[in-house]
């Protein structure tokens, strides 16, 4: 029997651009941990509904989520993408260019916390965020997102279930503890209006009040 996620994916037609992104990641020998297709569509919808014009992505990988975000942002919008590895950023840049968004994305390479500190010094502001990078820094990424957010900005955090480890009391590694803290923060912070979606590997969503 199909899972709910498998059923929903069967309904949608194949997306040649995103399929090419997935293929390019595999060809590059990079472990594909891109956002789930269903959540990619959701990011596009949220960017479109909110009229986002300046989006910050923490974790580029091969550009899958970047394309989903760029598809929804305003025509004059800009995506700033933080990526630790130069080879990942280069692959993402090629894929965004092939998708028609090459002139609307800026990559900053290096540890994301350093890039976030620099963005704060620059006075940068954003109206949408995607957190999808190293899990141990999720709580810090959330705090920076709130700091850099315009009122009403959307914050999305992927992999809140960590393939079931988050809800398994026997799993208590650093990443698991960090994501649990992130989940608790996003659920209880008075500055946020939030919810959590349990499909795929979990997605937290919040609006900055």
């Amino acid at each position: 029997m199909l899972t709910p996620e498998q059923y929903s994916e069967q309904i949608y037609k194949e997306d040649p651009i995103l399929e090419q992104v997935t293929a390019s990641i595999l060809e590059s020998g990079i472990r594909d941990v891109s956002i789930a297709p269903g959540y990619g569509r959701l990011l596009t919808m949220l960017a479109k509904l909110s009229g986002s014009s300046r989006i910050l992505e923490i974790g580029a990988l091969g550009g899958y989520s970047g394309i989903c975000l760029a598809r929804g942002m305003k025509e004059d919008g800009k995506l700033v993408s933080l990526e630790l590895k130069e080879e990942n950023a280069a692959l993402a840049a090629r894929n965004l260019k092939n998708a028609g968004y090459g002139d609307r994305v800026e990559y900053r390479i290096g540890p994301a916390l350093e890039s976030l500190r620099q963005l704060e010094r620059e006075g940068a502001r954003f109206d949408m965020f995607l957190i999808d990078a190293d899990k141990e820094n999720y709580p810090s990424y959330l705090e920076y997102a709130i700091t850099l957010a315009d009122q009403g900005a959307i914050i999305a955090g992927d992999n809140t279930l960590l393939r079931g480890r988050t809800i398994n009391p026997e799993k208590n590694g650093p990443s698991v503890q960090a994501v649990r803290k992130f989940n608790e923060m996003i659920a209880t912070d008075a500055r946020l209006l939030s919810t959590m979606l349990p499909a795929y590997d979990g997605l937290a969503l919040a609006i900055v009040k």
Side-chain angles (χ1 to χ4, degrees), residues 13-22 71:
K13 293 181 180 180
E14 295 179 351
D15 188 316
I17 292 176
L18 293 179
E19 285 192 338
Q20 178 56 44
V21 172
T22 299
R71 283 176 169 176

Side-chain angles (χ1 to χ4, degrees), residues 55-69:
I55 301 176
L56 180 63
E57 174 187 47
I58 305 175
L61 195 66
Y64 191 107
S65 58
I67 290 172
C68 294
L69 291 164

Side-chain angles (χ1 to χ4, degrees), residues 6-169:
Q6 289 170 332
Y7 169 75
S8 67
E9 292 306 333
Q10 283 191 349
I11 295 174
Y12 288 89
K13 293 181 180 180
E14 295 179 351
D15 188 316
I17 292 176
L18 293 179
E19 285 192 338
Q20 178 56 44
V21 172
T22 299
S24 73
I25 292 171
L26 296 175
E27 290 168 3
S28 298
I30 299 171
R31 180 170 171 247
D32 188 6
V33 289
S34 302
I35 197 162
Y39 285 155
R41 293 189 292 270
L42 179 59
L43 291 180
T44 300
M45 290 177 61
L46 290 172
K48 188 75 170 180
L49 285 167
S50 62
S52 295
S53 60
R54 190 159 174 83
I55 301 176
L56 180 63
E57 174 187 47
I58 305 175
L61 195 66
Y64 191 107
S65 58
I67 290 172
C68 294
L69 291 164
R71 283 176 169 176
M73 71 182 177
K74 288 184 176 179
E75 289 187 6
D76 61 349
K78 182 175 183 180
L79 171 67
V80 177
S81 185
L82 312 184
E83 173 55 49
L84 176 63
K85 298 180 179 180
E86 188 170 352
E87 59 270 28
N88 289 5
L91 177 61
R94 290 195 298 273
N95 284 329
L96 266 288
K97 181 179 179 181
N98 291 338
Y101 302 108
D103 60 343
R104 297 171 61 188
V105 59
E106 171 193 345
Y107 291 96
R108 299 200 179 197
I109 301 168
L113 288 177
E114 293 181 10
S115 296
L116 288 164
R117 283 190 284 269
Q118 180 59 34
L119 287 168
E120 184 179 21
R121 287 192 291 268
E122 294 171 8
R125 309 293 295 180
F126 300 91
D127 50 26
M128 186 168 179
F129 301 81
L130 172 62
I131 300 172
D132 191 10
D134 58 295
K135 308 312 172 192
E136 292 183 31
N137 282 313
Y138 260 40
S140 297
Y141 294 156
L142 177 58
E143 192 61 45
Y144 266 109
I146 297 170
T147 298
L148 298 173
D150 288 330
Q151 185 177 12
I154 294 172
I155 300 173
D158 195 25
N159 306 120
T160 56
L161 297 179
L162 289 178
R163 305 190 193 293
R165 286 181 291 153
T166 304
I167 58 177
N168 185 344

